Amino acid sequence: MIKTDFEFKRTIIASGVILLIFSGAFLIYKILDQKNYISKNQKTVQVPEPVLPPDRIQTVIIPEGSVFSKVIIEAGVSSLDAEAVYVAAKASYDLAAVRAGRTINLAYDPSTNVLKKLVYPINDIEELQAKRTADGSWIATRESIKYEIRQKTARGKISSSLYAAGLEVGMDERAIIDLADVFQWTVDFAQDVRVDDTFSVIYEERWRDGFYVMPGRVLAAEYVNDGEKYRAFVYQNEAGIEGYYDESGGSLRKMFLKAPVAFKYITSSFTTGLRYVSAFNVSTGHRAIDYAASKGTPIRATADGTVTFAGWGGAYGNKVTIRHNGTYTTNYGHQSRIAVKKGQKVTQGQVIGYVGSTGFSTGPHLHYEMVKNGTRINPLREKFPGTDPLAESEKLNFQKTIEKYGPEL
Ligand SMILES: [Zn+2]
């Protein structure tokens, strides 16, 4: 087919328009691309912030029987620096008192390998920080340790002991001890624990620089002992004192501790399967509870009171008697060493002596008696009221704590 002249002109014009559109689009594309390029380029210009290489950190664990200067000189610190740090720290903390098992962190400049800083945790709250100044001298200060707090929940069922069950579900042993201590007025974990008892606990973990350091507070906990459920919620009252309360606002703190030996000393020796303790038994005449523990284990007063006897008690060996009020007294027998004197006032939990095997005894254990109005009774069956329940004015606030943690227990 032959195109007419008119048709030919139309094709030319159309081609021209298409070309114009394409070149325009290309131009716009190029402009946009250019802008994009610049912005990309500007970004790369902004990026190079002066990033200093991190300090080289050396962690030294203090061995048993060692001293500060020996530990850090063995770690490679010059005796000159060791001396200078010790002197600089002296006003804030005496480094002669460092404890075995704790760590000293040494920070070195990565390029010069010069010691810049030394950090020692004085306790869970504070650390000593010694820094080298620009002129090479050392300054030292006490600083509060800043932890990142993470919340953790653990649940378990007892097959042998609370300690074993806690370890099974991945708890730090210190957190297991904290959990037992929350219920130290409620459950005697040496005597009362039963197979199939259950627990759940919400607690804090303290982390630092991405590493787990230690457990923090127990926030809420539940222990079901022989079918009976006990719950505890942490609460700081209006006076600023923190304590544990049950769901109705009653304090878990009672007049008497359940056991005269702290849970941390009986973790491994007591299980539900194998208990080489003598229970309270009227028919055999053993109106006491025996706690097997190694010689030297601290014995604590189960309640506030006054020491009315501290000395040789014949068959009891070294014995301490505490009068708590007009109704109750307690006796602690077979001690290797007594730590209190007659007439002395003692508070609940205070160490009054140490486990031994003196008097009529075949092996180290504590013979613990509770006397009520002159009659020896079973302390585990005795019910004691809680002390200082929450005031009515605090109940609303406390309710919020229960709502926060209760459902997760
Ligand atoms: Zn006994």
PDB file of all heavy atoms in Angstrom, residues 236-249:
ATOM      1  N   GLN A 236       6.755  -3.017  98.289  1.00  0.00           N
ATOM      2  CA  GLN A 236       7.406  -2.011  99.128  1.00  0.00           C
ATOM      3  C   GLN A 236       6.326  -1.175  99.779  1.00  0.00           C
ATOM      4  O   GLN A 236       5.531  -0.529  99.087  1.00  0.00           O
ATOM      5  CB  GLN A 236       8.320  -1.133  98.269  1.00  0.00           C
ATOM      6  CG  GLN A 236       9.286  -0.312  99.105  1.00  0.00           C
ATOM      7  CD  GLN A 236      10.128   0.600  98.250  1.00  0.00           C
ATOM      8  OE1 GLN A 236       9.604   1.521  97.621  1.00  0.00           O
ATOM      9  NE2 GLN A 236      11.431   0.368  98.207  1.00  0.00           N
ATOM     10  N   ASN A 237       6.261  -1.202 101.102  1.00  0.00           N
ATOM     11  CA  ASN A 237       5.183  -0.473 101.784  1.00  0.00           C
ATOM     12  C   ASN A 237       5.473   1.032 101.834  1.00  0.00           C
ATOM     13  O   ASN A 237       6.526   1.484 101.387  1.00  0.00           O
ATOM     14  CB  ASN A 237       4.907  -1.061 103.175  1.00  0.00           C
ATOM     15  CG  ASN A 237       6.062  -0.851 104.145  1.00  0.00           C
ATOM     16  OD1 ASN A 237       6.956  -0.035 103.898  1.00  0.00           O
ATOM     17  ND2 ASN A 237       6.042  -1.579 105.237  1.00  0.00           N
ATOM     18  N   GLU A 238       4.505   1.785 102.387  1.00  0.00           N
ATOM     19  CA  GLU A 238       4.619   3.254 102.403  1.00  0.00           C
ATOM     20  C   GLU A 238       5.850   3.731 103.163  1.00  0.00           C
ATOM     21  O   GLU A 238       6.377   4.801 102.896  1.00  0.00           O
ATOM     22  CB  GLU A 238       3.338   3.873 102.985  1.00  0.00           C
ATOM     23  CG  GLU A 238       2.201   3.883 101.966  1.00  0.00           C
ATOM     24  CD  GLU A 238       0.827   4.016 102.586  1.00  0.00           C
ATOM     25  OE1 GLU A 238       0.708   4.025 103.825  1.00  0.00           O
ATOM     26  OE2 GLU A 238      -0.149   4.085 101.805  1.00  0.00           O
ATOM     27  N   ALA A 239       6.328   2.910 104.091  1.00  0.00           N
ATOM     28  CA  ALA A 239       7.537   3.271 104.852  1.00  0.00           C
ATOM     29  C   ALA A 239       8.812   2.972 104.059  1.00  0.00           C
ATOM     30  O   ALA A 239       9.914   3.247 104.521  1.00  0.00           O
ATOM     31  CB  ALA A 239       7.550   2.515 106.180  1.00  0.00           C
ATOM     32  N   GLY A 240       8.637   2.389 102.862  1.00  0.00           N
ATOM     33  CA  GLY A 240       9.792   2.112 102.007  1.00  0.00           C
ATOM     34  C   GLY A 240      10.445   0.770 102.278  1.00  0.00           C
ATOM     35  O   GLY A 240      11.509   0.474 101.744  1.00  0.00           O
ATOM     36  N   ILE A 241       9.789  -0.053 103.108  1.00  0.00           N
ATOM     37  CA  ILE A 241      10.368  -1.365 103.425  1.00  0.00           C
ATOM     38  C   ILE A 241       9.752  -2.425 102.516  1.00  0.00           C
ATOM     39  O   ILE A 241       8.530  -2.531 102.389  1.00  0.00           O
ATOM     40  CB  ILE A 241      10.151  -1.719 104.911  1.00  0.00           C
ATOM     41  CG1 ILE A 241      10.856  -0.675 105.797  1.00  0.00           C
ATOM     42  CG2 ILE A 241      10.669  -3.119 105.232  1.00  0.00           C
ATOM     43  CD1 ILE A 241      10.376  -0.638 107.224  1.00  0.00           C
ATOM     44  N   GLU A 242      10.653  -3.197 101.903  1.00  0.00           N
ATOM     45  CA  GLU A 242      10.192  -4.215 100.976  1.00  0.00           C
ATOM     46  C   GLU A 242      10.009  -5.539 101.708  1.00  0.00           C
ATOM     47  O   GLU A 242      10.828  -5.914 102.543  1.00  0.00           O
ATOM     48  CB  GLU A 242      11.242  -4.385  99.872  1.00  0.00           C
ATOM     49  CG  GLU A 242      10.672  -4.907  98.582  1.00  0.00           C
ATOM     50  CD  GLU A 242      11.704  -4.813  97.463  1.00  0.00           C
ATOM     51  OE1 GLU A 242      12.638  -5.627  97.422  1.00  0.00           O
ATOM     52  OE2 GLU A 242      11.559  -3.911  96.634  1.00  0.00           O
ATOM     53  N   GLY A 243       8.934  -6.218 101.397  1.00  0.00           N
ATOM     54  CA  GLY A 243       8.685  -7.511 102.037  1.00  0.00           C
ATOM     55  C   GLY A 243       7.824  -8.372 101.138  1.00  0.00           C
ATOM     56  O   GLY A 243       7.415  -7.944 100.052  1.00  0.00           O
ATOM     57  N   TYR A 244       7.544  -9.600 101.597  1.00  0.00           N
ATOM     58  CA  TYR A 244       6.701 -10.515 100.825  1.00  0.00           C
ATOM     59  C   TYR A 244       5.365 -10.700 101.520  1.00  0.00           C
ATOM     60  O   TYR A 244       5.304 -10.867 102.742  1.00  0.00           O
ATOM     61  CB  TYR A 244       7.410 -11.853 100.631  1.00  0.00           C
ATOM     62  CG  TYR A 244       8.605 -11.705  99.713  1.00  0.00           C
ATOM     63  CD1 TYR A 244       9.882 -11.513 100.216  1.00  0.00           C
ATOM     64  CD2 TYR A 244       8.423 -11.691  98.325  1.00  0.00           C
ATOM     65  CE1 TYR A 244      10.970 -11.338  99.362  1.00  0.00           C
ATOM     66  CE2 TYR A 244       9.494 -11.509  97.469  1.00  0.00           C
ATOM     67  CZ  TYR A 244      10.763 -11.331  97.992  1.00  0.00           C
ATOM     68  OH  TYR A 244      11.827 -11.138  97.151  1.00  0.00           O
ATOM     69  N   TYR A 245       4.323 -10.658 100.702  1.00  0.00           N
ATOM     70  CA  TYR A 245       2.962 -10.751 101.225  1.00  0.00           C
ATOM     71  C   TYR A 245       2.170 -11.784 100.440  1.00  0.00           C
ATOM     72  O   TYR A 245       2.424 -11.985  99.245  1.00  0.00           O
ATOM     73  CB  TYR A 245       2.268  -9.379 101.126  1.00  0.00           C
ATOM     74  CG  TYR A 245       2.974  -8.312 101.940  1.00  0.00           C
ATOM     75  CD1 TYR A 245       4.034  -7.582 101.396  1.00  0.00           C
ATOM     76  CD2 TYR A 245       2.598  -8.070 103.261  1.00  0.00           C
ATOM     77  CE1 TYR A 245       4.706  -6.625 102.151  1.00  0.00           C
ATOM     78  CE2 TYR A 245       3.260  -7.112 104.021  1.00  0.00           C
ATOM     79  CZ  TYR A 245       4.309  -6.397 103.455  1.00  0.00           C
ATOM     80  OH  TYR A 245       4.963  -5.456 104.214  1.00  0.00           O
ATOM     81  N   ASP A 246       1.221 -12.412 101.128  1.00  0.00           N
ATOM     82  CA  ASP A 246       0.345 -13.343 100.423  1.00  0.00           C
ATOM     83  C   ASP A 246      -0.773 -12.557  99.740  1.00  0.00           C
ATOM     84  O   ASP A 246      -0.825 -11.325  99.846  1.00  0.00           O
ATOM     85  CB  ASP A 246      -0.184 -14.434 101.368  1.00  0.00           C
ATOM     86  CG  ASP A 246      -1.034 -13.871 102.496  1.00  0.00           C
ATOM     87  OD1 ASP A 246      -1.610 -12.764 102.337  1.00  0.00           O
ATOM     88  OD2 ASP A 246      -1.124 -14.521 103.557  1.00  0.00           O
ATOM     89  N   GLU A 247      -1.647 -13.279  99.043  1.00  0.00           N
ATOM     90  CA  GLU A 247      -2.651 -12.585  98.225  1.00  0.00           C
ATOM     91  C   GLU A 247      -3.608 -11.704  99.024  1.00  0.00           C
ATOM     92  O   GLU A 247      -4.168 -10.767  98.487  1.00  0.00           O
ATOM     93  CB  GLU A 247      -3.445 -13.606  97.399  1.00  0.00           C
ATOM     94  CG  GLU A 247      -2.703 -13.950  96.120  1.00  0.00           C
ATOM     95  CD  GLU A 247      -3.221 -15.182  95.426  1.00  0.00           C
ATOM     96  OE1 GLU A 247      -3.424 -16.198  96.119  1.00  0.00           O
ATOM     97  OE2 GLU A 247      -3.407 -15.121  94.203  1.00  0.00           O
ATOM     98  N   SER A 248      -3.754 -11.992 100.327  1.00  0.00           N
ATOM     99  CA  SER A 248      -4.660 -11.146 101.108  1.00  0.00           C
ATOM    100  C   SER A 248      -3.914 -10.037 101.852  1.00  0.00           C
ATOM    101  O   SER A 248      -4.496  -9.353 102.692  1.00  0.00           O
ATOM    102  CB  SER A 248      -5.462 -12.019 102.086  1.00  0.00           C
ATOM    103  OG  SER A 248      -4.585 -12.789 102.870  1.00  0.00           O
ATOM    104  N   GLY A 249      -2.615  -9.881 101.526  1.00  0.00           N
ATOM    105  CA  GLY A 249      -1.852  -8.794 102.140  1.00  0.00           C
ATOM    106  C   GLY A 249      -1.210  -9.151 103.470  1.00  0.00           C
ATOM    107  O   GLY A 249      -0.663  -8.287 104.153  1.00  0.00           O
TER     108      GLY A 249
END
